[in-house]
Amino acid sequence: AEALDDGSDRPIPVLVRIEPGRFEMADSKQGLQRLRDALARAVENGLRGTLESGNLLTGTLYVNFDFFEDAAPESVTSFDGHPTLPSISGVFARLQQQVGALLARFNSLPLDETMAAATDTLETLGSAAEELRALLASESVRGLPGKLDESLTRLDGTLSSYAEDDTMSLQLERTLRELDETLESIRGVAETLERDPNAVIFPTRPPPDPSPRAGKP
């Protein structure tokens, strides 16, 4: 009645009857106390009650107890003289909360700015594609393969003419041989200067001493 009067969201207590004998305990005060101690430890380890759907067509609900590792720390409390086990939202309620949070984050995204930026990017790509298409369709670009083939043909003809002209081949061979001899001479001069730098001024071999002319008329 209190929840209906002020309209606030308050938990609705559900009375559950638990018999110790169903847990292989004696149906006595001692067995009941053992069951309460076991439930207290189970709550500390994540035991929670959830309201689940038993039938999607009829909408039948049932209370399910299970262990949840991510559950917030709780303990057994008391309500109207009865021990109270904590509960959390059921599967459908948690899914509804997650979907709601996801939609809230989605609505907070700057979708207008993102779409505008994407539109500008697509327009830029379209312009670049048109420019590339126009470049490939131009006469200068389409004529490149022919010009390249023509240049290669001329080069091949030049090389063939050199190979077929014996006179030119002999002249080229003679020129290369003379160049090799010149390089050998330069190498010899360089080695001489390295051994005797004065060879530039003085002869490399001194002249023989003159023989005395004594005793001759």
Side-chain angles (χ1 to χ4, degrees):
E2 185 178 0
L4 296 176
D5 291 340
D6 56 11
S8 60
D9 184 15
R10 298 178 181 274
I12 299 176
V14 177
L15 184 61
V16 179
R17 178 183 177 87
I18 301 178
E19 298 176 358
R22 297 183 180 275
F23 295 91
E24 298 182 355
M25 300 179 184
D27 287 327
S28 60
K29 292 183 178 180
Q30 292 79 8
L32 183 58
Q33 186 60 43
R34 288 183 56 194
L35 179 59
R36 290 179 176 177
D37 295 339
L39 288 176
R41 291 192 300 269
V43 169
E44 294 177 357
N45 292 328
L47 179 66
R48 300 291 185 270
T50 58
L51 191 63
E52 304 292 348
S53 175
N55 192 314
L56 295 177
L57 296 178
T58 61
T60 304
L61 302 177
Y62 69 95
V63 178
N64 178 57
F65 288 95
D66 202 349
F67 288 89
F68 298 87
E69 296 180 356
D70 58 346
E74 293 283 355
S75 61
V76 177
T77 57
S78 178
F79 178 81
D80 195 22
H82 297 282
T84 304
L85 300 179
S87 62
I88 59 176
S89 300
V91 175
F92 289 103
R94 290 197 299 271
L95 288 177
Q96 185 178 3
Q97 293 175 357
Q98 293 175 358
V99 171
L102 179 61
L103 291 177
R105 289 196 299 269
F106 184 78
N107 291 332
S108 64
L109 294 176
L111 296 180
D112 294 338
E113 299 177 4
T114 303
M115 293 301 296
T119 302
D120 294 341
T121 302
L122 292 176
E123 291 178 354
T124 303
L125 290 176
S127 300
E130 289 296 333
E131 294 176 0
L132 180 59
R133 188 180 297 107
L135 178 62
L136 294 177
S138 63
E139 294 293 336
S140 58
V141 174
R142 287 190 297 179
L144 286 178
K147 293 180 180 178
L148 180 60
D149 182 70
E150 182 180 353
S151 299
L152 292 176
T153 302
R154 288 201 301 268
L155 177 60
D156 182 69
T158 302
L159 295 177
S160 299
S161 63
Y162 276 111
E164 296 174 357
D165 192 344
D166 294 337
T167 303
M168 185 173 297
S169 299
L170 292 175
Q171 291 179 353
L172 179 61
E173 182 180 358
R174 187 181 304 111
T175 302
L176 292 177
R177 185 167 56 252
E178 292 176 356
L179 178 61
D180 184 67
E181 294 175 355
T182 302
L183 291 176
E184 287 292 336
S185 300
I186 294 175
R187 187 181 298 109
V189 173
E191 292 177 354
T192 301
L193 291 177
E194 183 178 1
R195 292 193 304 268
D196 186 9
N198 294 328
V200 179
I201 302 175
F202 302 101
T204 56
R205 294 182 179 179
D209 293 336
S211 301
R213 304 178 65 180
K216 293 184 180 181

